[in-house]
Amino acid sequence: MHLDVNLTAAVTTFLTAFLVSAVSGKFIIPFLRRLKAGQTERDEGPKSHLKKTGTPNMGGLMILLGVTAACLLPFRGQSQSIPVLILTIGFGIIGFMDDYIKVVKKRSDGLSVLQKFALQIVVSLLFAFYVQKIHYVPLSMKIPFMSGNVLDLGVFNIPLMVFVIVATVNGTNFTDGVDGLASCVTIAVAVFFVIAAAAAASSVAMTGTAMIGALMGFLLYNAYPAKVFMGDTGSLALGGFVAGMAYMLRLPLFILIVGFIYVIEVVSVIIQVTWFRRTGGKRFFRMAPIHHHFELGGWSEVRVVAVFTIVTAVLGALAILAL
Amino acid sequence: MHLDVNLTAAVTTFLTAFLVSAVSGKFIIPFLRRLKAGQTERDEGPKSHLKKTGTPNMGGLMILLGVTAACLLPFRGQSQSIPVLILTIGFGIIGFMDDYIKVVKKRSDGLSVLQKFALQIVVSLLFAFYVQKIHYVPLSMKIPFMSGNVLDLGVFNIPLMVFVIVATVNGTNFTDGVDGLASCVTIAVAVFFVIAAAAAASSVAMTGTAMIGALMGFLLYNAYPAKVFMGDTGSLALGGFVAGMAYMLRLPLFILIVGFIYVIEVVSVIIQVTWFRRTGGKRFFRMAPIHHHFELGGWSEVRVVAVFTIVTAVLGALAILAL
């Protein structure tokens, strides 16, 4: 199979996003510190996480800057990357509002659940409109391991799309509790990059290299011990990005494979809560989302990140076979 | 530019190597433990490394098994991967001898320097012979940023090749002192994979995906806190692999870019020793190789690995531009 990639453009996009993201950290991190943007960790996490208090979050701004700059550079303003950016920046803004309220009001909960979901649905609908009316990308989905088959729910495609996007974004958000899980997203994006290149969807592929570069710029500062966290600004933006890239390729069902880690994060919370209610107070996992379960079982955060990243890579390989 | 890759074969190779490497760990690690293959850390490293005593090394065996199995599978026995395997396994055996002597004789130094270099030169010459006489790959080298130009030293190509291989291998070996630097090699191999795919050298590219899979299988156990180290078995094999892949693509000079981390590891030792002698006892770095310098400056091992990996990715992108 030919991967149809303008290698020079891919590399230039990667480097641009990396540089913008990495250099912006030099300005954004001190700024966030001055904002006293210290994260107030909720009491729910393992105690070892309390040491994170004081490290600024909202580092997702670096990622947003890097990926936007690389995609919008004159020589790179390709139309297919615009809807992905809409979803990324839209969710980034929702995350930023959430983070900002936490910081300014010194409250740990940010936006209300209702506010969050309402905003998320608005951004998702904007994306659905843009994709269908401007780019004529159908909302029906290809089915993994059944090439040629398509899932088309007609008028229900849009509610399904909103559900997929919101679920992906909130899965990413759950996963953010562990340092360096950006590396997991990096691999997921790399898989979608390969798929985009194989589908000759070069502007979608370029959007992928831009995100990989931006994530690496961020990881420079986020590597343990983290100088900055991405916050909801980053994790919502990443979720939006992955969902957007998947939809441009008509492969949202593949998120279940490539984003398996997000899926088990969300599902583990649902199981935990349901089990807790059903049994009148028993826990299914030591703690949910499931990365806390592993940490309390003795895994270091680094091991959690490494294993999650490798699992993503292996499932990503399977996803490519499932095309 | 078209990347000419059989995506299905690439993914199958990756998964095979990953599975063999990961599953073999279940058997090899307990075996190494029984062998009392505890690593005796030299006193030279920072004190925080002393805790590593007791963790078995020689985990490189897992990598060797994974990459060999994936390359030699019936449907994958492509000729161009054979010389790369010769170099990888040859150096792996030298590393294994070194590790084994350390373990059995409970001595910390293993093979003598003379023995090591003699064996390394023999393996390098075997590779040179095989590549020239069986595969007719010329030993002259393409020059980065000067496409079309070739460095051809005639009869001196072979000594230069031996020097490049031995230097690469020993650079990798220096770098092994830090957990998880396998992730650095993973990126370097990925870059050579892209270059091989762009050059339509598909069997060399497949060798790359095999190595990436094998490394990920190994990383499952090597992630902090490590259950196994690759030892010299692994680090020499990896050095041989990178040098072999580079030579098959006629790009050994690109090792200086993609393997920049190895270069600065070696160069930092040379600078340190020279400076120490010249100044009559002063140190240029806090400690050499240079990763110790950063660790003593307050970087965690995780940060060293992350930064080194990202630097490799960025330089790898530049190397692709330099084709």
Side-chain angles (χ1 to χ4, degrees):
Chain A
M1 191 185 297
H2 280 288
L3 301 183
D4 195 358
V5 182
N6 180 334
L7 211 50
T8 311
V11 167
T12 315
T13 311
F14 166 83
L15 288 174
T16 307
F18 172 77
L19 277 178
V20 171
S21 169
V23 172
S24 74
K26 289 281 171 211
F27 303 94
I28 288 179
I29 295 172
F31 174 75
L32 292 175
R33 270 189 194 286
R34 276 198 303 277
L35 253 183
K36 297 197 181 169
Q39 186 178 37
T40 317
E41 279 264 332
R42 280 161 289 203
D43 291 338
E44 303 149 20
K47 288 203 177 134
S48 64
H49 281 202
L50 290 178
K51 63 175 188 287
K52 290 181 184 172
T53 305
T55 307
N57 58 9
M58 302 204 248
L61 288 175
M62 294 163 58
I63 300 173
L64 284 174
L65 276 178
V67 76
T68 308
C71 286
L72 293 188
L73 271 189
F75 65 93
R76 191 121 312 294
Q78 285 145 324
S79 59
Q80 294 255 23
S81 62
I82 304 294
V84 181
L85 282 183
I86 288 179
L87 215 48
T88 310
I89 297 173
F91 278 98
I93 291 173
I94 299 173
F96 182 80
M97 289 164 67
D98 199 36
D99 286 332
Y100 195 81
I101 292 171
K102 286 182 199 167
V103 171
V104 173
K105 301 209 174 173
K106 305 277 177 208
R107 280 168 38 200
S108 190
D109 33 352
L111 289 173
S112 78
V113 174
L114 200 69
Q115 288 170 322
K116 246 190 217 181
F117 274 110
L119 288 168
Q120 291 182 358
I121 289 170
V122 170
V123 173
S124 304
L125 288 175
L126 182 65
F127 175 74
F129 175 81
Y130 197 94
V131 166
Q132 273 199 303
K133 300 297 172 193
I134 312 279
H135 287 289
Y136 309 110
V137 174
L139 298 187
S140 59
M141 310 162 165
K142 293 179 189 164
I143 303 176
F145 297 106
M146 296 175 67
S147 74
N149 285 292
V150 162
L151 180 69
D152 190 346
L153 300 181
V155 72
F156 293 108
N157 279 332
I158 290 185
L160 181 60
M161 172 185 249
V162 171
F163 173 78
V164 168
I165 294 175
V166 171
T168 305
V169 166
N170 289 288
T172 324
N173 198 13
F174 278 143
T175 314
D176 177 46
V178 172
D179 271 14
L181 267 176
S183 65
C184 227
V185 184
T186 308
I187 300 290
V189 174
V191 171
F192 278 117
F193 164 77
V194 171
I195 293 174
S202 75
S203 63
V204 180
M206 291 304 111
T207 323
T209 54
M211 181 53 95
I212 294 171
L215 280 167
M216 286 199 175
F218 170 75
L219 275 169
L220 274 186
Y221 303 92
N222 182 244
Y224 182 85
K227 287 179 187 163
V228 70
F229 296 116
M230 65 170 73
D232 285 356
T233 313
S235 63
L236 295 195
L238 285 181
F241 181 88
V242 169
M245 217 173 154
Y247 257 104
M248 293 312 288
L249 298 167
R250 300 183 61 203
L251 296 173
L253 293 179
F254 284 65
I255 296 174
L256 292 173
I257 307 175
V258 180
F260 181 71
I261 294 300
Y262 310 141
V263 175
I264 62 168
E265 289 279 274
V266 175
V267 170
S268 67
V269 171
I270 295 170
I271 291 175
Q272 185 82 329
V273 172
T274 314
W275 191 259
F276 194 86
R277 290 194 185 144
R278 282 275 175 93
T279 60
K282 284 189 184 166
R283 286 185 167 76
F284 191 86
F285 299 106
R286 296 184 194 101
M287 187 179 289
I290 202 168
H291 65 263
H292 288 323
H293 174 79
F294 292 125
E295 284 182 277
L296 290 177
W299 286 22
S300 67
E301 270 192 73
V302 177
R303 173 168 290 275
V304 172
V305 172
V307 171
F308 279 19
T309 304
I310 292 169
V311 167
T312 301
V314 170
L315 291 173
L318 288 174
I320 291 171
L321 288 184
L323 278 174
Chain B
M1 191 184 297
H2 280 287
L3 300 184
D4 194 358
V5 182
N6 180 334
L7 211 49
T8 312
V11 167
T12 316
T13 310
F14 167 81
L15 288 174
T16 308
F18 172 77
L19 278 178
V20 171
S21 168
V23 172
S24 74
K26 289 283 173 210
F27 303 95
I28 288 179
I29 294 171
F31 174 75
L32 292 176
R33 268 187 196 288
R34 276 200 302 278
L35 253 183
K36 298 195 181 170
Q39 186 179 35
T40 316
E41 279 263 333
R42 279 161 290 203
D43 290 339
E44 303 148 20
K47 287 204 177 131
S48 64
H49 281 203
L50 290 177
K51 64 175 188 286
K52 289 181 184 171
T53 305
T55 307
N57 58 10
M58 301 203 249
L61 288 175
M62 295 163 57
I63 300 173
L64 284 173
L65 276 177
V67 75
T68 308
C71 286
L72 293 187
L73 271 188
F75 65 91
R76 192 122 311 294
Q78 285 146 322
S79 60
Q80 294 255 23
S81 62
I82 304 294
V84 180
L85 282 183
I86 288 179
L87 215 48
T88 310
I89 298 173
F91 277 98
I93 291 173
I94 299 173
F96 183 79
M97 289 165 67
D98 198 36
D99 286 333
Y100 195 81
I101 291 172
K102 285 182 198 166
V103 170
V104 172
K105 300 210 173 174
K106 304 278 178 209
R107 280 168 38 201
S108 190
D109 32 353
L111 289 173
S112 77
V113 174
L114 200 68
Q115 287 170 322
K116 248 190 216 179
F117 274 110
L119 287 168
Q120 292 181 357
I121 290 170
V122 170
V123 173
S124 303
L125 287 175
L126 182 65
F127 174 74
F129 174 82
Y130 196 94
V131 165
Q132 273 198 305
K133 300 298 174 191
I134 312 281
H135 287 288
Y136 309 109
V137 175
L139 299 187
S140 57
M141 311 162 163
K142 293 178 189 163
I143 304 177
F145 296 106
M146 296 175 68
S147 74
N149 285 292
V150 162
L151 180 68
D152 191 345
L153 300 182
V155 71
F156 293 108
N157 280 331
I158 291 186
L160 181 60
M161 172 186 250
V162 171
F163 172 78
V164 168
I165 295 174
V166 170
T168 305
V169 166
N170 289 289
T172 325
N173 198 13
F174 278 142
T175 315
D176 178 46
V178 172
D179 272 15
L181 267 176
S183 65
C184 226
V185 184
T186 307
I187 301 289
V189 174
V191 171
F192 278 117
F193 163 77
V194 171
I195 293 174
S202 75
S203 63
V204 179
M206 291 303 112
T207 322
T209 54
M211 180 52 95
I212 293 171
L215 281 167
M216 287 199 175
F218 170 75
L219 276 168
L220 274 185
Y221 303 91
N222 182 242
Y224 182 85
K227 287 178 187 162
V228 71
F229 296 116
M230 66 170 73
D232 285 355
T233 312
S235 62
L236 295 195
L238 286 180
F241 182 86
V242 169
M245 217 172 154
Y247 257 104
M248 293 312 287
L249 299 167
R250 301 183 62 201
L251 297 173
L253 292 179
F254 283 66
I255 297 174
L256 292 172
I257 308 175
V258 179
F260 181 70
I261 294 300
Y262 309 143
V263 174
I264 62 167
E265 290 280 272
V266 175
V267 169
S268 67
V269 171
I270 295 170
I271 292 176
Q272 185 83 329
V273 171
T274 314
W275 191 258
F276 195 86
R277 289 196 185 142
R278 282 276 175 91
T279 60
K282 283 190 185 168
R283 286 184 167 78
F284 190 86
F285 298 107
R286 296 183 194 101
M287 189 179 290
I290 202 169
H291 64 264
H292 288 323
H293 174 80
F294 292 125
E295 285 184 276
L296 290 177
W299 286 22
S300 67
E301 267 192 74
V302 177
R303 173 167 289 275
V304 171
V305 172
V307 171
F308 278 19
T309 304
I310 292 169
V311 167
T312 301
V314 171
L315 291 173
L318 288 174
I320 291 171
L321 288 184
L323 278 175

